[in-house]
Amino acid sequence: MTQTYSTQMEAAKLGIVTPQMAQVAEDEGIDAEVIRERVARGTIAIPANHNHPALHAHGVGEGLRTKINVNLGISGDERDYECEMQKVRTALEFDAEAIMDLSNYGKTHDFRRALVDMSPAMIGTVPMYDAVGYLEKDLGNITAQDFLDVVRAHAEEGVDFVTIHAGLNRKSIDSFKRSGRMMNIVSRGGSLIYAWMEMTGNENPFFEHYDELLDILYEYDVTISLGDALRPGCVSDSTDAGQVSELIELGLLTTRAWERNVQVMIEGPGHMALNEIAANMQIEKTLCHNAPFYVLGPLVTDIAPGYDHITSAIGGAIAAANGADFLCYVTPAEHLRLPSVQDVREGVIASKIAAHAADLANGVPGARDWDDRMARARQRLDWPAMFDEAIDRKKAEEYVASTNPHDPSTCTMCGAMCSVRTMNKAMKGENVSLL
């Protein structure tokens, strides 16, 4: 008798290895049965909506390569969908595993459908952003059912995961208000939910109607990414009562989702000093039962506008080396403007470097092989092979082509004094001439 299932988690609990699990196992070099067992426990999520046939399935979580997400989408001030599609192509060029459409103006469904139809990467959204434009209602007039209807619309369109700020309930808001934050709530979705709750006097609709929400997500196998509405927006606010109180709620919501066979990811900080990152990763894994952890950065200082792809990559590498599974990229435009295509390129590369550095530290299977191939190419002074291994081939080639060394096997940094050239000759018993 053939067993039926609706979600990856449900299949895993039934002992079934789905095609998506098999794909993840092949990509990661891990036995498919190990993947299945971890999906069943919830420590790996495979976001894979039934309505996303172009998807190349990726796993996020225990023992896997660190994945990255690329945020894009239009705003009220910048409405060029073709530019956003160029950003999509840039993200896919560098093998980003996920793309989130955070469009927050007007009717966004046409772009989202086109994105799902063409993208092999996982697609995520924050339905809360789309509510005003989708429903053509002002925030205070939206009902709890309206919010659920928008989630269903996104699920039907094929998105693989949705960020839902369900942990911002009356209890966590009380902790937030009493903690006296410098930056209050910097989560866009979190601020909108908070404002709605204050205007209407109602409980968070995603918390109050969580079971109905899970029913929608179960039907399409949409992974819930439990959003951190109270993530710190500056280093002064990190690891405060509001952040931790919400995280406790997210842990409780995680088990409720798993009981209904809905996959879960947990979203995490924001801005945080270096010395707090490792502890925060452990707190999340403990409170949220080792669910996959998805972090924005964290940005390790607040003073570098224009360079926050760097502050984020520093924090992301430390976070992933200490348990984070999924890095949301940050571009140089963070805090300043909607990113350009070039900003997206730089943000993706910085995040990929951070992810790979963490994979090296964590001994992820195959991670060291890439570095070893580059090292062997450098030892041979084999420039074409170095370009083959470069994370950004175009930039590496442009740098080399921009100068004219006397010996084309070396670069203009050391020239005849190139240590690699010197050692290659010396170890062959050849004379080393610097003239």
Side-chain angles (χ1 to χ4, degrees):
M1 179 177 177
T2 303
Q3 293 178 302
T4 61
Y5 61 88
S6 182
T7 71
Q8 296 292 318
M9 174 168 270
E10 186 172 38
K13 289 178 181 178
L14 291 170
I16 299 169
V17 173
T18 66
Q20 292 82 6
M21 294 178 207
Q23 180 69 69
V24 170
E26 180 182 348
D27 290 347
E28 302 280 349
I30 296 175
D31 186 85
E33 181 59 24
V34 173
I35 301 296
R36 184 206 62 77
E37 189 271 333
R38 293 174 184 174
V39 171
R41 286 193 287 113
T43 62
I44 286 177
I46 304 177
N49 190 313
H50 303 320
N51 293 339
H52 187 179
L55 177 71
H56 180 105
H58 289 288
V60 180
E62 182 185 357
L64 306 183
R65 289 182 295 104
T66 306
K67 308 304 188 298
I68 73 160
N69 171 68
V70 171
N71 288 342
L72 43 80
I74 66 159
S75 69
D77 294 316
E78 297 284 348
R79 309 175 194 175
D80 185 347
Y81 275 120
E82 177 50 36
C83 181
E84 296 312 299
M85 197 55 78
Q86 289 180 39
K87 296 175 187 178
V88 172
R89 289 189 283 268
T90 297
L92 296 177
E93 175 189 351
F94 288 97
D95 298 321
E97 290 87 6
I99 296 170
M100 289 197 80
D101 173 23
L102 304 188
S103 296
N104 59 58
Y105 177 83
K107 300 294 186 181
T108 63
H109 50 81
D110 287 345
F111 175 72
R112 190 161 47 253
R113 286 170 181 155
L115 183 57
V116 169
D117 287 344
M118 63 81 67
S119 175
M122 300 179 282
I123 303 300
T125 60
V126 186
M128 182 73 198
Y129 295 176
D130 197 31
V132 173
Y134 180 84
L135 299 164
E136 296 183 339
K137 291 183 179 181
D138 204 0
L139 182 63
N141 297 323
I142 297 175
T143 67
Q145 186 59 50
D146 287 336
F147 286 125
L148 293 175
D149 288 344
V150 176
V151 173
R152 178 173 288 278
H154 283 221
E156 289 175 347
E157 289 168 1
V159 303
D160 303 295
F161 64 99
V162 288
T163 292
I164 303 290
H165 299 92
L168 186 68
N169 57 20
R170 292 292 176 190
K171 184 176 181 180
S172 57
I173 283 177
D174 179 63
S175 296
F176 153 69
K177 287 181 174 179
R178 289 193 288 163
S179 64
R181 280 189 162 190
M182 187 175 296
M183 284 292 294
N184 296 317
I185 295 176
V186 300
S187 160
R188 187 193 304 169
S191 69
L192 293 172
I193 287 287
Y194 177 84
W196 185 89
M197 292 170 68
E198 291 292 293
M199 286 190 291
T200 64
N202 295 328
E203 179 58 278
N204 180 343
F206 296 121
F207 178 78
E208 185 176 9
H209 301 281
Y210 191 61
D211 287 341
E212 295 100 304
L213 171 68
L214 294 177
D215 287 342
I216 296 169
L217 303 183
Y218 170 83
E219 182 178 350
Y220 298 91
D221 197 4
V222 177
T223 297
I224 187 168
S225 187
L226 287 167
D228 52 339
L230 294 176
R231 69 173 181 264
C234 61
V235 295
S236 179
D237 292 340
S238 62
T239 325
D240 68 354
Q243 179 194 332
V244 176
S245 176
E246 182 184 33
L247 190 59
I248 292 169
E249 296 297 323
L250 297 186
L252 298 172
L253 294 171
T254 295
T255 55
R256 286 176 61 186
W258 285 346
E259 287 166 1
R260 299 170 81 96
N261 291 319
V262 173
Q263 299 183 100
V264 177
M265 299 187 292
I266 305 295
E267 297 186 12
H271 293 235
M272 183 167 288
L274 284 169
N275 60 305
E276 296 182 45
I277 295 174
N280 267 264
M281 302 305 106
Q282 291 303 311
I283 290 170
E284 183 277 338
K285 290 293 184 177
T286 299
L287 293 178
C288 297
H289 320 291
N290 292 308
F293 199 19
Y294 173 26
V295 296
L296 179 68
L299 283 68
V300 296
T301 179
D302 302 326
I303 60 146
Y307 297 91
D308 278 328
H309 59 313
I310 297 174
T311 65
S312 170
I314 294 168
I318 295 170
N322 285 278
D325 306 288
F326 197 16
L327 304 182
C328 186
Y329 91 148
V330 172
T331 77
E334 186 79 3
H335 304 111
L336 301 173
R337 69 174 189 198
L338 196 72
S340 67
V341 174
Q342 181 59 30
D343 292 329
V344 168
R345 184 184 185 92
E346 292 183 29
V348 172
I349 292 168
S351 188
K352 292 288 281 189
I353 292 168
H356 181 68
D359 291 346
L360 283 174
N362 291 330
V364 171
R368 178 63 63 87
D369 296 344
W370 188 3
D371 292 75
D372 288 347
R373 291 194 301 271
M374 176 62 86
R376 284 191 288 269
R378 283 177 171 158
Q379 190 276 325
R380 299 192 307 268
L381 291 173
D382 184 344
W383 293 101
M386 287 185 242
F387 297 146
D388 286 343
E389 302 302 335
I391 197 168
D392 184 356
R393 181 189 190 111
K394 179 181 177 183
K395 188 169 188 177
E397 288 181 326
E398 287 176 349
Y399 269 52
V400 170
S402 68
T403 59
N404 186 27
H406 178 72
D407 182 346
S409 70
T410 66
C411 74
T412 53
M413 171 69 79
C414 299
M417 289 190 180
C418 171
S419 59
V420 178
R421 175 180 177 272
T422 297
M423 289 303 299
N424 286 348
K425 286 181 173 294
M427 293 186 74
K428 291 178 183 177
E430 298 175 5
N431 290 332
V432 177
S433 173
L434 303 180
L435 300 177

